[in-house]
mmCIF file of all heavy atoms in Angstrom:
data_model
loop_
_atom_site.group_PDB
_atom_site.id
_atom_site.type_symbol
_atom_site.label_atom_id
_atom_site.label_comp_id
_atom_site.label_asym_id
_atom_site.label_seq_id
_atom_site.Cartn_x
_atom_site.Cartn_y
_atom_site.Cartn_z
ATOM 1 N N ARG A 143 95.116 103.959 129.998
ATOM 2 C CA ARG A 143 96.559 103.736 129.937
ATOM 3 C C ARG A 143 96.997 102.369 130.433
ATOM 4 O O ARG A 143 98.011 102.198 131.097
ATOM 5 C CB ARG A 143 97.291 104.868 130.707
ATOM 6 C CG ARG A 143 97.092 106.205 129.974
ATOM 7 C CD ARG A 143 97.214 107.375 130.864
ATOM 8 N NE ARG A 143 96.166 107.398 131.873
ATOM 9 C CZ ARG A 143 96.063 108.323 132.817
ATOM 10 N NH1 ARG A 143 96.953 109.277 132.880
ATOM 11 N NH2 ARG A 143 95.086 108.279 133.702
ATOM 12 N N ASN A 144 96.165 101.383 130.120
ATOM 13 C CA ASN A 144 96.472 99.987 130.466
ATOM 14 C C ASN A 144 96.655 99.098 129.256
ATOM 15 O O ASN A 144 96.952 97.941 129.418
ATOM 16 C CB ASN A 144 95.293 99.406 131.266
ATOM 17 C CG ASN A 144 95.098 100.124 132.581
ATOM 18 O OD1 ASN A 144 96.052 100.341 133.315
ATOM 19 N ND2 ASN A 144 93.861 100.505 132.870
ATOM 20 N N GLY A 145 96.416 99.653 128.061
ATOM 21 C CA GLY A 145 96.325 98.811 126.856
ATOM 22 C C GLY A 145 97.628 98.185 126.416
ATOM 23 O O GLY A 145 98.719 98.592 126.819
ATOM 24 N N ILE A 146 97.494 97.181 125.552
ATOM 25 C CA ILE A 146 98.660 96.542 124.947
ATOM 26 C C ILE A 146 98.657 96.943 123.462
ATOM 27 O O ILE A 146 97.641 96.820 122.780
ATOM 28 C CB ILE A 146 98.622 95.014 125.101
ATOM 29 C CG1 ILE A 146 98.783 94.720 126.611
ATOM 30 C CG2 ILE A 146 99.711 94.326 124.285
ATOM 31 C CD1 ILE A 146 98.810 93.275 126.987
ATOM 32 N N ARG A 147 99.801 97.464 123.022
ATOM 33 C CA ARG A 147 99.882 97.955 121.648
ATOM 34 C C ARG A 147 100.664 96.999 120.770
ATOM 35 O O ARG A 147 101.450 96.178 121.258
ATOM 36 C CB ARG A 147 100.532 99.351 121.637
ATOM 37 C CG ARG A 147 99.749 100.364 122.490
ATOM 38 C CD ARG A 147 100.229 101.767 122.285
ATOM 39 N NE ARG A 147 101.551 102.019 122.886
ATOM 40 C CZ ARG A 147 102.157 103.187 122.807
ATOM 41 N NH1 ARG A 147 101.609 104.185 122.141
ATOM 42 N NH2 ARG A 147 103.333 103.360 123.380
ATOM 43 N N VAL A 148 100.485 97.141 119.475
ATOM 44 C CA VAL A 148 101.171 96.283 118.513
ATOM 45 C C VAL A 148 102.696 96.342 118.749
ATOM 46 O O VAL A 148 103.363 95.300 118.762
ATOM 47 C CB VAL A 148 100.813 96.728 117.069
ATOM 48 C CG1 VAL A 148 101.746 96.130 116.037
ATOM 49 C CG2 VAL A 148 99.363 96.361 116.757
ATOM 50 N N GLY A 149 103.220 97.517 119.015
ATOM 51 C CA GLY A 149 104.669 97.682 119.236
ATOM 52 C C GLY A 149 105.145 96.904 120.454
ATOM 53 O O GLY A 149 106.326 96.509 120.538
ATOM 54 N N ASP A 150 104.242 96.653 121.422
ATOM 55 C CA ASP A 150 104.619 95.904 122.610
ATOM 56 C C ASP A 150 104.994 94.460 122.283
ATOM 57 O O ASP A 150 105.750 93.816 123.026
ATOM 58 C CB ASP A 150 103.489 95.884 123.638
ATOM 59 C CG ASP A 150 103.188 97.281 124.193
ATOM 60 O OD1 ASP A 150 104.062 98.149 124.064
ATOM 61 O OD2 ASP A 150 102.078 97.494 124.712
ATOM 62 N N LEU A 151 104.476 93.955 121.172
ATOM 63 C CA LEU A 151 104.751 92.569 120.783
ATOM 64 C C LEU A 151 106.248 92.378 120.491
ATOM 65 O O LEU A 151 106.741 91.258 120.466
ATOM 66 C CB LEU A 151 103.929 92.143 119.569
ATOM 67 C CG LEU A 151 102.397 92.301 119.711
ATOM 68 C CD1 LEU A 151 101.719 91.901 118.408
ATOM 69 C CD2 LEU A 151 101.868 91.474 120.857
ATOM 70 N N GLU A 152 106.954 93.480 120.255
ATOM 71 C CA GLU A 152 108.397 93.419 119.983
ATOM 72 C C GLU A 152 109.212 93.428 121.270
ATOM 73 O O GLU A 152 110.423 93.329 121.255
ATOM 74 C CB GLU A 152 108.831 94.574 119.070
ATOM 75 C CG GLU A 152 108.150 94.518 117.699
ATOM 76 C CD GLU A 152 108.397 95.777 116.847
ATOM 77 O OE1 GLU A 152 108.427 96.892 117.389
ATOM 78 O OE2 GLU A 152 108.519 95.634 115.631
ATOM 79 N N LEU A 153 108.530 93.611 122.418
ATOM 80 C CA LEU A 153 109.216 93.696 123.705
ATOM 81 C C LEU A 153 109.187 92.326 124.403
ATOM 82 O O LEU A 153 108.247 91.551 124.215
ATOM 83 C CB LEU A 153 108.579 94.742 124.611
ATOM 84 C CG LEU A 153 108.395 96.139 124.004
ATOM 85 C CD1 LEU A 153 107.660 97.054 124.959
ATOM 86 C CD2 LEU A 153 109.751 96.732 123.624
ATOM 87 N N SER A 154 110.178 92.066 125.253
ATOM 88 C CA SER A 154 110.281 90.725 125.834
ATOM 89 C C SER A 154 109.236 90.480 126.937
ATOM 90 O O SER A 154 108.879 89.332 127.195
ATOM 91 C CB SER A 154 111.691 90.514 126.392
ATOM 92 O OG SER A 154 111.953 91.567 127.308
ATOM 93 N N ASP A 155 108.731 91.549 127.560
ATOM 94 C CA ASP A 155 107.874 91.320 128.724
ATOM 95 C C ASP A 155 106.371 91.414 128.395
ATOM 96 O O ASP A 155 105.551 91.485 129.284
ATOM 97 C CB ASP A 155 108.204 92.328 129.816
ATOM 98 C CG ASP A 155 107.764 93.739 129.435
ATOM 99 O OD1 ASP A 155 107.584 93.992 128.230
ATOM 100 O OD2 ASP A 155 107.593 94.564 130.361
ATOM 101 N N TRP A 156 106.026 91.424 127.105
ATOM 102 C CA TRP A 156 104.621 91.706 126.795
ATOM 103 C C TRP A 156 103.664 90.638 127.301
ATOM 104 O O TRP A 156 102.562 90.945 127.706
ATOM 105 C CB TRP A 156 104.420 91.994 125.292
ATOM 106 C CG TRP A 156 104.174 90.785 124.434
ATOM 107 C CD1 TRP A 156 105.100 90.053 123.773
ATOM 108 C CD2 TRP A 156 102.903 90.185 124.143
ATOM 109 N NE1 TRP A 156 104.475 89.023 123.106
ATOM 110 C CE2 TRP A 156 103.154 89.078 123.312
ATOM 111 C CE3 TRP A 156 101.599 90.444 124.525
ATOM 112 C CZ2 TRP A 156 102.139 88.246 122.842
ATOM 113 C CZ3 TRP A 156 100.585 89.620 124.030
ATOM 114 C CH2 TRP A 156 100.853 88.551 123.211
ATOM 115 N N LYS A 157 104.152 89.371 127.391
ATOM 116 C CA LYS A 157 103.268 88.287 127.830
ATOM 117 C C LYS A 157 102.905 88.440 129.319
ATOM 118 O O LYS A 157 101.806 88.125 129.727
ATOM 119 C CB LYS A 157 103.876 86.937 127.545
ATOM 120 C CG LYS A 157 103.667 86.531 126.090
ATOM 121 C CD LYS A 157 103.827 85.057 125.849
ATOM 122 C CE LYS A 157 103.514 84.779 124.386
ATOM 123 N NZ LYS A 157 104.101 83.579 123.874
ATOM 124 N N GLU A 158 103.860 88.946 130.093
ATOM 125 C CA GLU A 158 103.558 89.181 131.517
ATOM 126 C C GLU A 158 102.511 90.278 131.646
ATOM 127 O O GLU A 158 101.583 90.212 132.426
ATOM 128 C CB GLU A 158 104.799 89.611 132.314
ATOM 129 C CG GLU A 158 105.753 88.457 132.630
ATOM 130 C CD GLU A 158 107.053 88.579 131.887
ATOM 131 O OE1 GLU A 158 107.878 89.442 132.236
ATOM 132 O OE2 GLU A 158 107.257 87.809 130.907
ATOM 133 N N ARG A 159 102.691 91.316 130.818
ATOM 134 C CA ARG A 159 101.711 92.409 130.827
ATOM 135 C C ARG A 159 100.342 91.908 130.361
ATOM 136 O O ARG A 159 99.293 92.307 130.879
ATOM 137 C CB ARG A 159 102.182 93.570 129.956
ATOM 138 C CG ARG A 159 103.364 94.293 130.603
ATOM 139 C CD ARG A 159 103.623 95.632 129.950
ATOM 140 N NE ARG A 159 102.413 96.294 129.550
ATOM 141 C CZ ARG A 159 102.260 96.967 128.406
ATOM 142 N NH1 ARG A 159 103.289 97.029 127.567
ATOM 143 N NH2 ARG A 159 101.153 97.556 128.116
ATOM 144 N N TYR A 160 100.378 91.030 129.381
ATOM 145 C CA TYR A 160 99.126 90.433 128.896
ATOM 146 C C TYR A 160 98.421 89.700 130.039
ATOM 147 O O TYR A 160 97.233 89.894 130.291
ATOM 148 C CB TYR A 160 99.398 89.428 127.744
ATOM 149 C CG TYR A 160 98.181 88.585 127.460
ATOM 150 C CD1 TYR A 160 97.181 89.042 126.617
ATOM 151 C CD2 TYR A 160 97.995 87.353 128.114
ATOM 152 C CE1 TYR A 160 96.021 88.306 126.397
ATOM 153 C CE2 TYR A 160 96.844 86.615 127.921
ATOM 154 C CZ TYR A 160 95.864 87.093 127.069
ATOM 155 O OH TYR A 160 94.709 86.373 126.862
ATOM 156 N N ARG A 161 99.204 88.843 130.766
ATOM 157 C CA ARG A 161 98.612 88.034 131.845
ATOM 158 C C ARG A 161 97.981 88.933 132.902
ATOM 159 O O ARG A 161 96.865 88.710 133.366
ATOM 160 C CB ARG A 161 99.723 87.158 132.432
ATOM 161 C CG ARG A 161 99.354 86.116 133.428
ATOM 162 C CD ARG A 161 98.706 84.867 132.822
ATOM 163 N NE ARG A 161 97.277 85.020 132.618
ATOM 164 C CZ ARG A 161 96.601 84.554 131.572
ATOM 165 N NH1 ARG A 161 97.227 83.909 130.620
ATOM 166 N NH2 ARG A 161 95.317 84.727 131.484
ATOM 167 N N ALA A 162 98.725 89.956 133.316
ATOM 168 C CA ALA A 162 98.224 90.837 134.372
ATOM 169 C C ALA A 162 96.918 91.507 133.937
ATOM 170 O O ALA A 162 95.962 91.575 134.717
ATOM 171 C CB ALA A 162 99.266 91.899 134.688
ATOM 172 N N LEU A 163 96.868 91.947 132.668
ATOM 173 C CA LEU A 163 95.655 92.618 132.187
ATOM 174 C C LEU A 163 94.494 91.634 132.031
ATOM 175 O O LEU A 163 93.365 91.918 132.444
ATOM 176 C CB LEU A 163 95.961 93.308 130.819
ATOM 177 C CG LEU A 163 94.893 94.267 130.305
ATOM 178 C CD1 LEU A 163 94.537 95.345 131.310
ATOM 179 C CD2 LEU A 163 95.358 94.904 128.990
ATOM 180 N N ALA A 164 94.792 90.449 131.519
ATOM 181 C CA ALA A 164 93.719 89.448 131.345
ATOM 182 C C ALA A 164 93.177 89.015 132.703
ATOM 183 O O ALA A 164 91.950 88.846 132.872
ATOM 184 C CB ALA A 164 94.249 88.230 130.571
ATOM 185 N N ASP A 165 94.062 88.877 133.710
ATOM 186 C CA ASP A 165 93.587 88.514 135.079
ATOM 187 C C ASP A 165 92.676 89.594 135.615
ATOM 188 O O ASP A 165 91.646 89.328 136.212
ATOM 189 C CB ASP A 165 94.785 88.314 136.018
ATOM 190 C CG ASP A 165 95.528 87.004 135.704
ATOM 191 O OD1 ASP A 165 95.012 86.201 134.909
ATOM 192 O OD2 ASP A 165 96.630 86.828 136.254
ATOM 193 N N LYS A 166 93.100 90.840 135.399
ATOM 194 C CA LYS A 166 92.268 91.955 135.849
ATOM 195 C C LYS A 166 90.882 91.900 135.182
ATOM 196 O O LYS A 166 89.865 92.082 135.815
ATOM 197 C CB LYS A 166 92.978 93.276 135.536
ATOM 198 C CG LYS A 166 92.259 94.493 136.049
ATOM 199 C CD LYS A 166 93.071 95.741 135.795
ATOM 200 C CE LYS A 166 92.187 96.900 135.472
ATOM 201 N NZ LYS A 166 92.887 98.009 134.874
ATOM 202 N N HIS A 167 90.903 91.655 133.877
ATOM 203 C CA HIS A 167 89.631 91.571 133.148
ATOM 204 C C HIS A 167 88.741 90.472 133.703
ATOM 205 O O HIS A 167 87.525 90.654 133.829
ATOM 206 C CB HIS A 167 89.890 91.298 131.648
ATOM 207 C CG HIS A 167 90.478 92.450 130.914
ATOM 208 N ND1 HIS A 167 91.113 92.321 129.708
ATOM 209 C CD2 HIS A 167 90.516 93.769 131.236
ATOM 210 C CE1 HIS A 167 91.532 93.520 129.293
ATOM 211 N NE2 HIS A 167 91.184 94.398 130.209
ATOM 212 N N GLU A 168 89.354 89.347 134.071
ATOM 213 C CA GLU A 168 88.541 88.233 134.601
ATOM 214 C C GLU A 168 87.840 88.637 135.897
ATOM 215 O O GLU A 168 86.677 88.288 136.129
ATOM 216 C CB GLU A 168 89.407 87.006 134.833
ATOM 217 C CG GLU A 168 89.633 86.224 133.529
ATOM 218 C CD GLU A 168 89.839 84.739 133.792
ATOM 219 O OE1 GLU A 168 90.964 84.404 134.168
ATOM 220 O OE2 GLU A 168 88.912 83.977 133.608
ATOM 221 N N SER A 169 88.554 89.396 136.731
ATOM 222 C CA SER A 169 87.893 89.815 137.966
ATOM 223 C C SER A 169 86.784 90.847 137.658
ATOM 224 O O SER A 169 85.740 90.893 138.350
ATOM 225 C CB SER A 169 88.877 90.346 138.992
ATOM 226 O OG SER A 169 89.599 91.402 138.435
ATOM 227 N N MET A 170 86.993 91.629 136.604
ATOM 228 C CA MET A 170 85.942 92.587 136.208
ATOM 229 C C MET A 170 84.699 91.854 135.681
ATOM 230 O O MET A 170 83.568 92.221 135.943
ATOM 231 C CB MET A 170 86.477 93.570 135.158
ATOM 232 C CG MET A 170 87.468 94.564 135.731
ATOM 233 S SD MET A 170 88.420 95.403 134.450
ATOM 234 C CE MET A 170 87.235 96.487 133.751
ATOM 235 N N ILE A 171 84.941 90.787 134.910
ATOM 236 C CA ILE A 171 83.829 90.009 134.365
ATOM 237 C C ILE A 171 83.012 89.441 135.529
ATOM 238 O O ILE A 171 81.777 89.489 135.515
ATOM 239 C CB ILE A 171 84.345 88.892 133.423
ATOM 240 C CG1 ILE A 171 84.994 89.487 132.182
ATOM 241 C CG2 ILE A 171 83.213 87.911 133.029
ATOM 242 C CD1 ILE A 171 85.887 88.560 131.402
ATOM 243 N N ALA A 172 83.709 88.921 136.554
ATOM 244 C CA ALA A 172 83.010 88.346 137.718
ATOM 245 C C ALA A 172 82.201 89.445 138.414
ATOM 246 O O ALA A 172 81.078 89.197 138.880
ATOM 247 C CB ALA A 172 84.041 87.770 138.666
#
Side-chain angles (χ1 to χ4, degrees):
R143 294 154 296 177
N144 297 312
I146 293 182
R147 301 190 288 178
V148 166
D150 294 341
L151 304 178
E152 296 171 324
L153 308 176
S154 56
D155 71 339
W156 88 268
K157 279 199 177 157
E158 283 112 73
R159 288 195 37 221
Y160 167 85
R161 188 75 275 142
L163 190 55
D165 287 351
K166 183 175 145 196
H167 289 162
E168 278 209 282
S169 57
M170 289 164 72
I171 293 163

